[in-house]
Amino acid sequence: MKKDDCIFCKIAAGEIPSAKVYEDENVIAFRDIAPQAPVHVVFIPKDHVLSSADDITEDNAKIIADIFVAIKKTAESLGLENGYRIINNCGEDGAQSVKHIHFHLLGGKKLPERIV
Ligand code: DGP
């Protein structure tokens, strides 16, 4: 399922180029266009099944597990053996800018202990 006005759907479809670092049947991951750490990768479901974490239910939650497995594999392949951070921005107050659920993988340096 693809939404025509969604930038991440266009990336998943290959209509907008991206630096892909991971792909499987349900998930793709690509380098963030505005990296906030030496490693900054965005993980999305290929299909626009959820707009935000607020849409997660018992019935559709498997894709979240798939994404976390993808994150773990990618962290390993990118050499983040010393740790990393996973972030999901949700909704207006969470400062979510792209309304296609996604998780940020950040690492490659010691990250700040606080975000505010
Ligand atoms: P968020 O603020 O959580 O919705 O994160 C959206 C992220 O997506 C933001 O860090 C920048 C990234 N992003 C937006 N547009 C593009 C794009 O066209 N290409 C890539 N690689 N990243 C993008």
Side-chain angles (χ1 to χ4, degrees), residues 7-8 11 30-33 40 89 95-98 102 104:
I7 209 161
F8 285 176
I11 288 176
F30 49 88
R31 305 262 182 195
D32 195 287
I33 204 167
H40 185 170
N89 295 325
Q96 179 182 2
S97 62
V98 180
H102 55 280
H104 299 259

Side-chain angles (χ1 to χ4, degrees), residues 52 89-97 99:
S52 80
N89 295 325
C90 178
E92 205 55 37
D93 282 1
Q96 179 182 2
S97 62
K99 309 297 190 268

Side-chain angles (χ1 to χ4, degrees), residues 78-94:
L78 295 179
L80 302 182
E81 63 280 334
N82 214 34
Y84 49 86
R85 184 170 293 163
I86 301 165
I87 291 179
N88 169 257
N89 295 325
C90 178
E92 205 55 37
D93 282 1

Side-chain angles (χ1 to χ4, degrees), residues 37-86:
V39 174
H40 185 170
V41 176
V42 178
F43 290 76
I44 65 169
K46 284 182 174 173
D47 288 341
H48 197 116
V49 280
L50 305 167
S51 295
S52 80
D54 205 36
D55 292 336
I56 299 169
T57 67
E58 287 83 355
D59 292 336
N60 63 30
K62 183 181 177 296
I63 188 65
I64 306 303
D66 292 344
I67 288 172
F68 272 70
V69 171
I71 290 173
K72 185 237 152 139
K73 288 180 182 169
T74 306
E76 193 175 348
S77 71
L78 295 179
L80 302 182
E81 63 280 334
N82 214 34
Y84 49 86
R85 184 170 293 163
I86 301 165

